[in-house]
């Protein structure tokens, strides 16, 4: 059985300018200390305008925090006003890039095909995608969770080799739980994360499925994080609101109940 080191990722969305970003990451690093012993990995997904400042600070102070991005285009360069290329992120030593977050899919119309293009481009530039999937409340109540989630996983991983699949990260985030204060029960979250892993086994084989890390996301807080992350198929969390505050995020990382 593969050892999967949990990854806890803070998705800041459109919050924190570069001054606020620096203060938050420095405080987080101080709170987490240096004694994590590889038991848990942490990434921070800041807005593009923060990345260069964060890179410098993380590298200068040798912080045990990985730099992450929230989105990118799939082309290396070109006439794509407003977009940022994976090559630009790689140049900043970005390690993890979120692909297909539900807010990108629902608000900006990202399709499964675009998300797959991004996953392939992120890998091509030596970074790790965090591929998101999740159902709406309507889909859940209409018993379509399985089809939606498995379909997004299959589409997102098209053309990715089994070795690459094993090294990437998937995030199951029920849309009805994002930013709403509603969290899936630990049993429901476990069941759908197991479905995600099962889908990986179908498309990339048992070895990749045993190695791939599956995060849960959707209103993860210090009070519920430990129970969620204690589930056998949940290998960390993608945290939005509670990652903006260094104290809360540090509590989640340390698995301390508030
Ligand atoms: P939330 O966001 O923790 O605020 O629900 C999670 C996410 O969107 O990644």
């Amino acid at each position: 059985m593969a050892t999967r080191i949990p990854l806890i990722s803070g998705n800041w969305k459109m919050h924190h300018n570069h001054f606020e970003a620096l203060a938050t990451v420095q405080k987080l690093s101080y709170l987490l200390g240096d004694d994590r012993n590889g038991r848990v990995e942490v990434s921070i997904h800041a807005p593009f305008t923060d990345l260069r400042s964060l890179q410098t600070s993380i590298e200068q102070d040798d912080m045990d925090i990985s730099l992450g991005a929230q989105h990118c285009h799939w082309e290396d360069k070109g006439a794509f006003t407003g977009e940022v290329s994976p090559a630009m992120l790689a140049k900043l030593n970005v390690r993890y890039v979120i692909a297909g977050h539900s807010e990108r899919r629902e608000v900006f119309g990202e399709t499964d095909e675009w998300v797959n293009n991004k996953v392939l481009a992120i890998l091509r530039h030596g970074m790790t995608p965090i591929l998101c999937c999740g159902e709406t409340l309507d889909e859940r109540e209409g018993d379509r969770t399985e089809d939606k989630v498995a379909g997004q996983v299959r589409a997102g991983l098209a053309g990715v080799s089994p070795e690459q699949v094993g090294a990437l990260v998937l995030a199951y985030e029920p849309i009805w739980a994002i930013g709403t204060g509603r969290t899936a029960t630990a049993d429901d979250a476990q069941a759908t994360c197991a479905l995600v892993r099962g889908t990986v086994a179908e498309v990339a084989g048992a070895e990749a499925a045993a190695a791939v890390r599956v995060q849960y996301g959707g209103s993860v807080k210090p009070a519920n994080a430990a129970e969620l992350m204690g589930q056998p198929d949940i290998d960390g969390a993608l945290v939005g609101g509670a990652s903006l505050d260094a104290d809360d995020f540090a509590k989640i990382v340390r698995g301390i109940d508030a």
Side-chain angles (χ1 to χ4, degrees):
M1 163 104 188
T3 322
R4 299 187 298 263
I5 297 176
L7 172 67
I8 303 185
S9 303
N11 174 15
W12 285 354
K13 312 191 182 189
M14 200 169 70
H15 295 283
H16 285 346
N17 63 38
H18 69 289
F19 290 116
E20 295 160 338
L22 276 176
T24 306
V25 160
Q26 277 159 0
K27 183 168 176 192
L28 179 66
S29 170
Y30 168 77
L31 291 170
L32 293 178
D34 300 324
D35 62 350
R36 298 213 309 277
N37 296 325
R39 285 188 304 264
V40 56
E41 237 190 288
V42 173
S43 64
I44 288 294
H45 299 256
F48 289 136
T49 51
D50 300 352
L51 293 182
R52 175 63 177 152
S53 310
L54 287 186
Q55 179 210 3
T56 308
S57 182
I58 287 172
E59 290 178 4
Q60 263 171 9
D61 293 345
D62 200 17
M63 293 180 194
D64 195 2
I65 293 173
S66 296
L67 189 60
Q70 301 172 14
H71 159 70
C72 65
H73 198 272
W74 55 87
E75 295 288 352
D76 287 1
K77 56 174 116 169
F80 301 105
T81 302
E83 287 294 309
V84 165
S85 89
M88 293 168 183
L89 297 181
K91 199 77 183 161
L92 290 169
N93 291 344
V94 164
R95 173 118 190 250
Y96 294 101
V97 187
I98 298 171
H101 189 281
S102 61
E103 285 151 18
R104 302 284 332 163
R105 294 180 190 259
E106 305 265 310
V107 183
F108 299 100
E110 284 191 8
T111 64
D112 275 340
E113 193 188 346
W114 293 3
V115 173
N116 177 239
N117 287 344
K118 292 206 285 180
V119 165
L120 293 167
I122 293 161
L123 287 166
R124 202 164 56 240
H125 286 279
M127 300 178 289
T128 301
I130 298 180
L131 169 61
C132 299
C133 56
E135 81 286 4
T136 63
L137 192 55
D138 264 8
E139 288 160 346
R140 180 163 200 88
E141 288 173 346
D143 225 4
R144 299 194 302 278
T145 300
E146 216 174 298
D147 283 353
K148 171 79 177 289
V149 170
Q152 286 179 327
V153 172
R154 278 192 208 104
L157 296 179
V160 183
S161 74
E163 294 72 36
Q164 286 176 317
V165 172
L168 60 69
V169 181
L170 291 157
Y172 165 59
E173 298 202 300
I175 295 172
W176 47 271
I178 295 178
T180 59
R182 291 182 62 184
T183 320
T185 63
D187 284 349
D188 282 351
Q190 158 59 24
T192 312
C193 288
L195 165 83
V196 168
R197 198 179 300 286
T199 308
V200 170
E202 276 169 35
V203 300
E207 215 172 303
V212 77
R213 290 182 288 180
V214 183
Q215 297 177 317
Y216 168 80
S219 298
V220 174
K221 309 275 179 241
N224 60 23
E227 192 192 2
L228 287 160
M229 285 187 269
Q231 304 304 310
D233 283 299
I234 301 183
D235 311 307
L238 183 52
V239 185
S243 72
L244 294 173
D245 179 81
D247 285 301
D248 277 352
F249 194 55
K251 279 184 194 149
I252 291 173
V253 172
R254 293 212 219 89
I256 294 172
D257 201 323

